[in-house]
Amino acid sequence: MSNHLEITLTSGCPMMCSYCPQTNYIKNYKVINETDKKNMSIDDYKIILNNVNHKINHIYFTGFTEPLAHPDWDKFVDYTKSQGYKTTFNTTLYGATFEKIDRLINLDVDVEIHLTDSKVIVPEQIYLYFAEKYKRGRSIFNFFSEKGKSLLPKQLSGTMHVPHSRADNLDNIPRKVIKGPVKCHTNRYFSNVVIPNGDVSVCCSDFSLKHIVGNLLTQTLSDIHKSDTMRNFLKKMKDGDENFICNNCFYGTPV
């Protein structure tokens, strides 16, 4: 997987899926956030993208929360495209209407749909309408539970994925432990997640926000990747600490 950047537009997700450590993210964003920013602003996002000067050509709207929960989600996608980035929008179709789907389709970006086990129900006609309108190849539907699978209209096909503990961020999914030095088989420590206040979390498994490596409102991505914080993180991967995030991660492998 090439290096990319994941954008988390909000400080909490309304879906609250059972296999997502959303409570960890919500709680710890409140702890580390020294601003009043709950949603990312488009003005801040323009600064953030201007500071992305290093190895990135692909932006994902995903990370820790549902992008459609942001009232101005489409402005972020539109601006990203205008800056020449390949763009992918990962969504549960939370709160989607036919009008929102038309807007998403007209933005002409790759879209992946996640069918969830949330108590928030997305109507079947929304999935069908999206599948009918989407023109960038086959519609992609993913699910991580039998309930999610059951929501897929019989006319459509999707893919079942096995949920994992998000580096020991979930109590209801068994912890994976790697002993000894570890590496990330997708180099996700260089595919970071930006949260609404501009802080950069090391990767998509860091729902507890314990590994903030910098801030893209005040630093360039190149400087963040060359920082002592990042070097210390990479050194920690070699230490074999069984409580370290990478030693408990689905993407981790022994050296």
Side-chain angles (χ1 to χ4, degrees):
M1 177 181 290
S2 62
N3 294 339
H4 63 272
L5 199 66
E6 300 188 12
I7 306 298
T8 295
L9 294 177
T10 66
S11 58
C13 181
M15 298 303 284
M16 302 300 289
C17 307
S18 69
Y19 41 80
C20 172
Q22 190 59 211
T23 53
N24 292 13
Y25 172 69
I26 292 170
K27 178 179 68 176
N28 287 295
Y29 183 79
K30 291 177 181 177
V31 171
I32 70 166
N33 181 30
E34 297 179 352
T35 73
D36 60 356
K37 297 173 182 177
K38 294 183 178 180
N39 289 343
M40 189 178 289
S41 73
I42 190 64
D43 289 338
D44 279 354
Y45 183 61
K46 290 177 179 180
I47 296 171
I48 287 166
L49 270 198
N50 189 58
N51 282 329
V52 176
N53 62 342
H54 185 53
K55 296 183 179 179
I56 299 297
N57 59 15
H58 195 165
I59 302 293
Y60 285 77
F61 287 92
T62 178
F64 303 134
T65 66
E66 164 58 56
L68 280 180
H70 193 294
D72 296 322
W73 60 271
D74 53 336
K75 294 179 181 178
F76 290 83
V77 177
D78 197 31
Y79 183 74
T80 305
K81 284 197 64 184
S82 76
Q83 299 305 296
Y85 287 97
K86 182 179 179 181
T87 306
T88 298
F89 198 83
N90 292 72
T91 177
T92 64
L93 293 178
Y94 165 80
T97 60
F98 293 162
E99 291 76 16
K100 284 185 179 180
I101 291 174
D102 287 342
R103 176 60 175 149
L104 182 56
I105 297 298
N106 289 336
L107 285 166
D108 194 28
V109 297
D110 291 335
V111 181
E112 295 193 19
I113 308 298
H114 171 203
L115 291 82
T116 81
D117 67 354
S118 172
K119 294 180 180 179
V120 180
I121 301 300
V122 176
E124 180 179 276
Q125 61 264 33
I126 291 295
Y127 297 129
L128 290 170
Y129 187 78
F130 174 83
E132 176 189 350
K133 296 292 183 177
Y134 188 63
K135 303 304 180 186
R136 292 179 62 89
R138 180 180 61 85
S139 300
I140 298 176
F141 293 92
N142 299 303
F143 32 83
F144 292 79
S145 67
E146 288 299 324
K147 180 178 178 181
K149 181 179 180 180
S150 73
L151 297 175
L152 187 71
K154 63 180 182 298
Q155 304 96 311
L156 305 177
S157 61
T159 302
M160 174 72 87
H161 298 270
V162 178
H164 51 92
S165 73
R166 292 289 188 171
D168 199 29
N169 269 292
L170 283 168
D171 294 332
N172 61 327
I173 295 177
R175 173 188 180 194
K176 168 187 175 180
V177 180
I178 301 171
K179 297 182 179 180
V182 66
K183 63 181 179 180
C184 178
H185 70 78
T186 57
N187 292 340
R188 284 177 179 259
Y189 40 79
F190 288 138
S191 295
N192 313 122
V193 181
V194 189
I195 58 179
N197 66 354
D199 279 347
V200 178
S201 171
V202 70
C203 74
C204 61
S205 288
D206 186 31
F207 273 81
S208 292
L209 305 178
K210 293 179 179 178
H211 301 283
I212 300 298
V213 293
N215 188 292
L216 272 173
L217 289 173
T218 58
Q219 300 168 274
T220 67
L221 189 61
S222 177
D223 286 342
I224 290 172
H225 285 179
K226 295 175 183 176
S227 68
D228 288 342
T229 303
M230 180 60 83
R231 279 195 289 267
N232 289 336
F233 183 89
L234 296 175
K235 179 180 179 297
K236 189 74 172 173
M237 295 177 71
K238 301 176 182 179
D239 289 348
D241 181 352
E242 293 180 17
N243 294 312
F244 184 56
I245 182 173
C246 299
N247 289 73
N248 290 267
C249 185
F250 173 82
Y251 300 106
T253 57
V255 173

